[in-house]
Amino acid sequence: MKITKFAFFLFAICSFNLGIAQELEGHTITVTINNIKSNEGTLRVGLYDAQESFLGKPFTSISAKAKVGKVTASFENIPNGTYAISLYHDEDNNQKLNTFLKIPTEPYGVSNNAKGRFGPPKWEDAKFKVTDRRVSQSISL
């Protein structure tokens, strides 16, 4: 009887530790960027975790070399939560989205392919939940 209780206790501890390890590992968000027209420049991708910072300061960011057609990039070890993505093709590699009268002149996109009406896309249209180990977003420029 003592061995059975000990085995159960040991199993419970190992299961608890495994659960913590999986929590700490986080999730992967894979972003496929479509409709890239040029090999020039860099794709800059920002992941936002709050409406207040959306299209401002990202939670984290990644970049990838532009390639005609499509490019895939991934955010690793992302915790559960609600997020949105914005990205742009930095064609001249100046590390900023070029605009004219506050209208982007470089190709850009947002998660869920959200479009703005008389202004930038809204958080409500771009947000998505991360609860699965792997999440995918396909964004067209």
Side-chain angles (χ1 to χ4, degrees), residues 9-11 14 23 25 27 53 60 65-66 68 70 76 86 93-94 98 103 110 131 136-137:
F9 177 73
L10 186 61
F11 176 76
C14 290
E23 248 335 278
E25 283 180 24
H27 306 288
S53 63
T60 189
K65 174 82 176 97
V68 171
K70 73 178 181 179
E76 304 288 339
S86 74
N93 273 326
N94 67 350
N98 296 340
I103 298 170
V110 177
T131 56
S136 296
Q137 280 285 320

Side-chain angles (χ1 to χ4, degrees), residues 53-64:
S53 63
F54 183 53
L55 302 178
K57 182 165 174 47
F59 167 69
T60 189
S61 62
I62 53 177
S63 60

